[in-house]
Amino acid sequence: MLVRSLQAALPALLPRSAAALSTSSARRGLEELIVLPPKEDAQLPTSGRTWEAADLRKKSWDDLHKLWFVLLKERTRLQAEKAMYRQQQQRMPNVTRVAKVRKAMCRIKLVLSERIKEHEDPNIRMELKAFIDGM
């Protein structure tokens, strides 16, 4: 039941524009979280720079939420990949990807927290703070 509801909700949470930000494949559903062992002739995964707070401040509230879910999916995939390599008693290639995702997620929370201060209504501020703390 939970799996079906997650499969139904995932496409709505990650539209095509946000999916382009991910390094994972374009599959939909829970199967995209499954990590397959790399082929022997495969290149090492590459990653770009992490999201800077200044870049994130330019994004809309909705774009930040889309990016959050893309990073959350990527973090989950990286954790699964790390567990796979640990099980094979190998070292995970390009470990810096984990730190970049973690930093980007922390910076999104920072930017959202900064935006809370813009609201004059203390009830809205409390609700937004609770929402961000739950992320």
Side-chain angles (χ1 to χ4, degrees), residues 45-58:
T46 60
S47 61
R49 66 177 180 87
T50 187
W51 284 91
E52 298 293 330
D55 298 332
L56 295 171
R57 286 185 186 101
K58 298 174 187 174

Side-chain angles (χ1 to χ4, degrees), residues 5-24:
S5 63
L6 285 174
Q7 286 176 334
L10 193 59
L13 294 175
L14 294 172
R16 290 194 182 273
S17 62
L21 301 172
S22 176
T23 60
S24 61

Side-chain angles (χ1 to χ4, degrees), residues 105-128:
M105 292 177 86
C106 288
R107 289 177 179 155
I108 288 175
K109 285 179 111 176
L110 171 74
V111 170
L112 291 176
S113 297
E114 290 172 353
R115 291 185 183 180
I116 288 176
K117 297 174 186 174
E118 297 174 3
H119 291 283
E120 296 175 5
D121 187 4
N123 292 331
I124 293 177
R125 279 198 304 254
M126 284 185 0
E127 289 177 18
L128 290 173

Side-chain angles (χ1 to χ4, degrees), residues 56-98:
L56 295 171
R57 286 185 186 101
K58 298 174 187 174
K59 300 237 174 252
S60 70
W61 182 268
D62 290 336
D63 287 343
L64 288 175
H65 283 276
K66 290 174 190 175
L67 181 58
W68 175 267
F69 283 110
V70 169
L71 290 169
L72 185 64
K73 182 180 77 172
E74 190 67 19
R75 185 181 73 180
T76 304
R77 283 188 47 78
L78 288 172
Q79 288 172 344
E81 187 177 329
K82 187 176 180 180
M84 180 190 70
Y85 279 106
R86 188 179 310 129
Q87 183 181 18
Q88 295 174 355
Q89 297 179 348
Q90 295 179 359
R91 198 173 160 170
M92 183 175 156
N94 201 355
V95 177
T96 59
R97 294 181 298 155
V98 177

